[in-house]
Amino acid sequence: MSELCNPQDKKVLLKIKKALNDPYLLASWNPKTDCCDWYCLECDLNTHRVISLTLFSDDRLTGQIPAEVGDLPYLETLLFRHLPNLNGTIPPSIVKLKNLKTLRLSWTNLSGSVPDFLSQLKNVTYLDLSFNNLSGSIPSSLSSLPSLGALHLDRNKLTGSIPESFGMFPGKELGLYLSHNKLSGTIPASLGNVDFNTIDLSRNMLEGDASMLFGSNKTTWEIDLSRNEFQFDLSKVVFPKSLAWLDLNHNKITGSIPAGLTGAELQFMNVSYNRLCGQIPVGGRLQSFDYSTYFHNKCLCGAPLESCK
């Protein structure tokens, strides 16, 4: 039976296997068999070109991401995940993958910076570089990705501030995940222009105003600003009706909890360890949370805390 696998793709795949020191994960990559039958990849049903390469969960795999991944021109999905001994930096050859839609390099030992060249991957909808050892600042050029729906840079060692350009993402319904880094400074007011689906800035060293992330015209589902140095007046904030997850714990937020929050169908809320004062509004979901949602504030009162004097 004739082989369906493209001979050029097969040659590249065998180079990738060799570059990764013939890992057990790729034991099925036998040059005598059809590469479209190998594990960890997928061929297009019509063209038989390799469109997906997914390597994950192997702590014996060592080495770096092979430059040859850039020589699979029809690749739409590239995934290296849960590979704790994969090290080195993100190879520039990835920019050759003009059809790439999903890039997930996470839970590895990758280091170096978040490369500016990723902004050339114009078809990417999902970019995940979380749970690595990436350092340096966030390249502002990422906001030029026209189709991006989710950006995960969380759980790295990124420093500097959030780029001003992040208020100009062209995509709708963006998820932005920057938590567990060392980001500092104020967040750009331009972020108020984006209708984030989710925005998670938790566990950084960010400060100043974050009230622009809220607003009645937004369709945001989750906002997590916890464990930063944010300082703004909560009583002036108008919350999106869509908000289901609100975490503001461990900041320097002042004012009182606005009555408008009773209109949100909250599934989770935490405003503890701030400088809030006044009565907790009655209604909506606000009394369904226990005291730990509200404790360690300046002078909040009312159910579920002690009644107001």
Side-chain angles (χ1 to χ4, degrees):
M1 193 173 120
S2 68
E3 189 162 335
L4 294 174
C5 169
N6 177 278
Q8 186 54 37
D9 285 355
K10 187 172 194 175
K11 198 182 289 182
V12 171
L13 290 166
L14 291 169
K15 281 185 186 167
I16 290 170
K17 182 183 180 184
K18 188 178 178 193
L20 290 169
N21 309 308
D22 290 339
Y24 178 71
L25 187 65
L26 305 182
S28 69
W29 291 22
N30 178 343
K32 296 191 175 76
T33 59
D34 188 331
C35 81
C36 290
D37 294 333
W38 295 353
Y39 290 159
C40 304
L41 62 83
E42 188 186 335
C43 291
D44 183 275
L45 293 173
N46 299 314
T47 64
H48 310 295
R49 300 298 302 248
V50 175
I51 54 168
S52 171
L53 181 62
T54 53
L55 278 63
F56 55 91
S57 302
D58 183 1
D59 51 14
R60 288 172 294 182
L61 183 144
T62 58
Q64 306 190 357
I65 296 175
E68 288 84 359
V69 295
D71 298 327
L72 295 168
Y74 292 87
L75 218 52
E76 293 175 15
T77 299
L78 178 61
L79 182 147
F80 283 78
R81 281 193 92 207
H82 290 284
L83 304 169
N85 295 308
L86 183 75
N87 54 39
T89 57
I90 298 170
S93 61
I94 284 179
V95 300
K96 294 190 277 184
L97 301 173
K98 298 302 178 200
N99 295 298
L100 203 63
K101 294 190 179 95
T102 297
L103 178 61
R104 297 192 78 173
L105 312 173
S106 61
W107 299 82
T108 74
N109 201 18
L110 284 171
S111 57
S113 62
V114 175
D116 197 42
F117 59 67
L118 294 175
S119 62
Q120 295 174 45
L121 297 170
K122 297 300 182 195
N123 288 309
V124 162
T125 59
Y126 193 98
L127 178 55
D128 178 7
L129 304 177
S130 62
F131 290 87
N132 292 304
N133 281 314
L134 300 172
S135 57
S137 57
I138 300 172
S140 60
S141 58
L142 293 180
S143 64
S144 66
L145 289 167
S147 312
L148 197 64
L151 177 60
H152 285 266
L153 300 176
D154 41 310
R155 306 243 180 192
N156 280 289
K157 295 173 179 165
L158 301 174
T159 52
S161 54
I162 297 172
E164 184 73 38
S165 65
F166 273 31
M168 296 159 214
F169 277 104
K172 301 280 177 277
E173 292 286 299
L174 180 74
L176 181 63
Y177 302 84
L178 303 178
S179 73
H180 293 77
N181 279 292
K182 295 174 181 168
L183 300 172
S184 59
T186 57
I187 64 175
S190 62
L191 289 186
N193 303 332
V194 185
D195 187 10
F196 293 103
N197 170 26
T198 294
I199 181 162
D200 184 355
L201 307 179
S202 62
R203 291 180 187 261
N204 281 290
M205 297 175 288
L206 299 164
E207 58 189 43
D209 189 12
S211 62
M212 79 294 279
L213 300 175
F214 301 89
S216 57
N217 56 341
K218 303 276 175 86
T219 58
T220 307
W221 188 82
E222 177 182 347
I223 296 178
D224 190 343
L225 307 177
S226 61
R227 293 182 183 267
N228 281 288
E229 304 279 322
F230 287 122
Q231 203 161 357
F232 57 93
D233 184 347
L234 194 66
S235 44
K236 298 193 171 101
V237 171
V238 180
F239 292 91
K241 290 269 186 283
S242 54
L243 197 64
W245 187 284
L246 177 66
D247 197 345
L248 305 177
N249 81 76
H250 287 84
N251 280 288
K252 297 173 179 174
I253 299 167
T254 57
S256 56
I257 297 173
L261 201 50
T262 60
E265 290 290 317
L266 290 166
Q267 295 168 22
F268 177 88
M269 171 172 154
N270 191 344
V271 296
S272 66
Y273 291 91
N274 278 292
R275 296 172 182 176
L276 299 172
C277 214
Q279 180 161 5
I280 297 167
V282 176
R285 306 293 313 279
L286 297 189
Q287 277 66 46
S288 66
F289 303 111
D290 68 10
Y291 80 104
S292 65
T293 287
Y294 301 103
F295 71 167
H296 289 278
N297 270 290
K298 197 171 167 189
C299 45
L300 272 183
C301 59
L305 299 179
E306 287 176 19
S307 55
C308 298
K309 302 271 186 292

